[in-house]
Amino acid sequence: MTKEVLRVEHLNKFYGDWQALHDISFTLHQGEVLTLLGPSGSGKSTLIRCLNGLEDFKSGAIYFKGQKVETNSKNWQELRQKIGMVFQSYDLFPNFTVLENILLAPVKVQKRPEEEVKTEALRLLKRVGLEKYVNSYPRELSGGQKQRIAIVRALAMHPEIMLFDEVTASLDPEMVRGVLQIVTDLSQVDHMTMIIVTHEMNFARQIADQVLFLENGKILENTPGEEFFKHPKTNRARGFLTSMDF
Amino acid sequence: MAHSAINVFFAGNNFSRILQGLWTSVWIAGASLIIGLILGTLLGILRTLPNKIIRFILRLYLEFFRIVPTIVLLFLFYYILPRTFHINWPASWMAVLAFSLWVAAEFGDIVRGALESVPLVQKESGLALGLSRVQLLRYVLLPQAVQLELPATINLATRVIKTTSLLMMISIMDVVAIGQQIIEANNQKYPTAVFWIYGLIFFLYFIIDYPLSKWSKQLAAKQNR
């Protein structure tokens, strides 16, 4: 049995009176890929954002490597160095070059030597095929390129989990594959532990070890990946898979 | 006799006195801008904090300086403050103080607006990388805010420079005050001097302010693209 990295217990989240997440519980082990599926507005993004403190929650608990997470901002700041996140919109800092974007957090937050991080950044950029853009500014890059660099920027922090929040949702169709390939490689080559919110069903099927199917902030299914796509248990999930034309 | 009236510039040390007056105006505007921009940056940052009391107080401060006419501010600082608080500073320092607080109020509002218009995802991706609040401000939010606030800041600078023409009201020998002295002294000899002197003052203000306002327009056009 592999080591447990993340465990969520009975998490409830409210926006005012409206309950966005109902009693969410799940466990994620090292090297596993968890995908969050479900219709728009089902709470997938809210859930993934709760996992690195970008959203607070009312009750329940998150355990990181067996330790209960204290939900104060100081503690989240520490933890976020181990939990990488990539967003839907291309979120590189426009005032920095590609290299500066990647160096910023490892050098300023983790206080690692700049030369060491630079070598690693160049290696990672090479891996995603963008080493020649090392000194470019984000505005000179396409959406797909920016998204690949956002992934590199998160990886340079040596995270123990990566969170991907619909990272291909606003990309041109031809850019999508390149980005998904990088995510797939991260799982297969690096055995990175990941949580992925996506609407790319083929990708989800190929990569997911575990699927959480959400609707209206509730987990309707928590199934091993292959099982969910072959034999969805609930009618709602069946309907969802059909509607995704899959 | 227009040709002879232009001689008023060169009579005695008139021309160098006008330049001296201009220098007074420029250094007061410059010092006020430097102090005001530093103070305003701090106020702008404070106004983005969630603390309601701080925000309310700073809002009051801004509205006070926005609503009260600058001339009233100058009188307040020159006549009333020294008497009530026994501060005996030279008039030009009091002017710098009044102008700095005014610039800080207005610039604070510009900074707040700019910080708030940096996209939320920039802030979130900074936080997600583990940056602290201070690092987020320093490396992500402020540099992007500077871009956004530049046109409005230059605009504010031109207004400050123009407003220095009120300094004569608190007996500072700025360029306008010296101009008037020269006009009055030469009224007999050069009756049309008023036209030349004010013409020169207009020209001097113009060559300082016009490039600034042109620059700010260019920057604004660039941002709207």
Side-chain angles (χ1 to χ4, degrees):
Chain A
M1 197 61 198
T2 49
K3 229 170 47 194
E4 169 192 306
V5 181
L6 194 74
R7 186 167 87 244
V8 174
E9 281 184 356
H10 307 295
L11 188 139
N12 287 294
K13 156 98 190 152
F14 289 80
Y15 287 111
D17 288 338
W18 182 67
Q19 189 163 6
L21 293 173
H22 296 257
D23 196 33
I24 303 289
S25 299
F26 65 88
T27 307
L28 184 65
H29 294 98
Q30 189 155 25
E32 274 183 353
V33 177
L34 173 75
T35 55
L36 303 180
L37 302 180
S40 301
S42 58
K44 311 178 296 278
S45 285
T46 308
L47 174 56
I48 204 170
R49 289 160 57 86
C50 283
L51 300 178
N52 73 348
L54 289 179
E55 300 279 351
D56 56 1
F57 48 89
K58 185 162 185 203
S59 60
I62 298 173
Y63 295 83
F64 183 74
K65 294 166 88 177
Q67 284 263 334
K68 187 174 173 189
V69 174
E70 297 301 327
T71 54
N72 57 57
S73 61
K74 181 92 193 82
N75 193 45
W76 273 126
Q77 198 220 321
E78 289 284 314
L79 260 182
R80 284 177 186 135
Q81 298 171 36
K82 299 177 187 140
I83 304 177
M85 181 159 184
V86 183
F87 297 79
Q88 172 178 351
S89 50
Y90 334 122
D91 55 336
L92 298 182
F93 304 129
N95 49 316
F96 289 131
T97 64
V98 166
L99 185 64
E100 288 165 346
N101 262 281
I102 301 170
L103 294 188
L104 179 66
V107 172
K108 300 292 179 192
V109 179
Q110 294 180 322
K111 314 278 184 218
R112 280 154 54 194
E114 186 167 332
E115 277 311 307
E116 173 210 306
V117 186
K118 204 167 156 179
T119 315
E120 183 179 1
L122 289 172
R123 190 170 51 75
L124 286 167
L125 281 175
K126 206 167 208 159
R127 180 169 165 185
V128 300
L130 293 174
E131 69 272 24
K132 68 177 169 186
Y133 294 105
V134 61
N135 291 317
S136 305
Y137 279 90
R139 61 172 178 273
E140 302 164 44
L141 306 174
S142 72
Q145 291 170 329
K146 280 190 253 191
Q147 206 55 304
R148 281 187 266 172
I149 286 162
I151 295 173
V152 166
R153 184 176 67 175
L155 289 176
M157 292 289 283
H158 300 156
E160 299 185 36
I161 306 182
M162 284 288 288
L163 310 176
F164 292 94
D165 187 7
E166 303 203 32
V167 289
T168 57
S170 43
L171 291 180
D172 277 349
E174 68 242 52
M175 306 280 183
V176 170
R177 250 186 64 192
V179 172
L180 294 184
Q181 188 57 49
I182 289 167
V183 180
T184 309
D185 275 359
L186 267 182
S187 170
Q188 289 174 351
V189 181
D190 306 64
H191 308 291
M192 176 66 79
T193 313
M194 302 195 272
I195 299 181
I196 301 173
V197 174
T198 185
H199 285 116
E200 301 282 336
M201 288 302 136
N202 282 309
F203 167 67
R205 177 173 198 164
Q206 182 195 337
I207 199 169
D209 296 311
Q210 192 185 351
V211 171
L212 290 191
F213 181 71
L214 278 85
E215 191 183 49
N216 297 328
K218 300 186 185 92
I219 296 182
L220 296 192
E221 294 201 25
N222 182 353
T223 352
E226 206 41 43
E227 184 72 12
F228 176 81
F229 289 96
K230 277 192 185 142
H231 311 290
K233 282 181 280 193
T234 55
N235 281 334
R236 190 62 195 88
R238 259 193 294 280
F240 174 75
L241 286 174
T242 317
S243 75
M244 293 307 281
D245 200 17
F246 172 76
Chain B
M1 296 296 102
H3 284 303
S4 56
I6 200 170
N7 288 330
V8 74
F9 292 155
F10 310 106
N13 51 5
N14 282 354
F15 193 70
S16 72
R17 281 181 65 212
I18 284 186
L19 287 187
Q20 238 167 33
L22 185 70
W23 169 241
T24 305
S25 307
V26 166
W27 87 253
I28 289 179
S32 310
L33 279 167
I34 291 169
I35 299 169
L37 294 188
I38 294 169
L39 199 59
T41 306
L42 291 174
L43 296 185
I45 293 170
L46 288 177
R47 284 190 64 195
T48 60
L49 298 181
N51 188 322
K52 281 208 172 94
I53 300 167
I54 293 180
R55 282 200 335 226
F56 179 72
I57 294 171
L58 293 179
R59 186 71 207 271
L60 278 184
Y61 170 75
L62 165 72
E63 293 301 337
F64 175 79
F65 278 89
R66 190 183 270 164
I67 291 166
V68 175
T70 318
I71 184 74
V72 177
L73 274 184
L74 286 174
F75 284 158
L76 194 70
F77 277 78
Y78 184 65
Y79 293 112
I80 299 173
L81 276 193
R83 192 179 295 175
T84 337
F85 296 102
H86 306 289
I87 305 169
N88 284 309
W89 290 1
S92 48
W93 286 26
M94 292 314 274
V96 168
L97 183 63
F99 274 31
S100 300
L101 292 177
W102 166 46
V103 172
E106 296 234 11
F107 189 62
D109 204 41
I110 295 171
V111 170
R112 178 199 55 80
L115 285 176
E116 282 172 0
S117 51
V118 174
L120 181 66
V121 67
Q122 286 287 322
K123 192 176 151 189
E124 290 186 336
S125 54
L127 289 177
L129 282 167
L131 298 183
S132 68
R133 296 261 155 198
V134 177
Q135 287 172 329
L136 186 70
L137 260 175
R138 179 166 157 206
Y139 298 113
V140 180
L141 300 180
L142 281 177
Q144 293 186 47
V146 168
Q147 294 281 322
L148 295 168
E149 73 207 13
L150 212 49
T153 310
I154 298 165
N155 201 304
L156 177 63
T158 60
R159 277 166 55 212
V160 171
I161 293 167
K162 279 193 291 192
T163 313
T164 54
S165 56
L166 294 177
L167 289 174
M168 61 177 287
M169 302 303 289
I170 57 170
S171 68
I172 291 175
M173 284 295 129
D174 77 318
V175 65
V176 183
I178 287 177
Q180 280 197 340
Q181 279 185 345
I182 295 174
I183 291 164
E184 279 157 27
N186 296 281
N187 218 359
Q188 298 289 319
K189 204 169 161 197
Y190 307 109
T192 53
V194 60
F195 169 75
W196 291 98
I197 295 292
Y198 277 127
L200 177 66
I201 292 172
F202 164 85
F203 179 71
L204 291 174
Y205 271 111
F206 181 81
I207 56 172
I208 295 174
D209 264 351
Y210 182 71
L212 285 176
S213 100
K214 187 110 184 165
W215 184 29
S216 116
K217 267 202 192 115
Q218 260 176 6
L219 285 169
K222 214 162 141 189
Q223 280 177 12
N224 288 335
R225 253 194 330 205

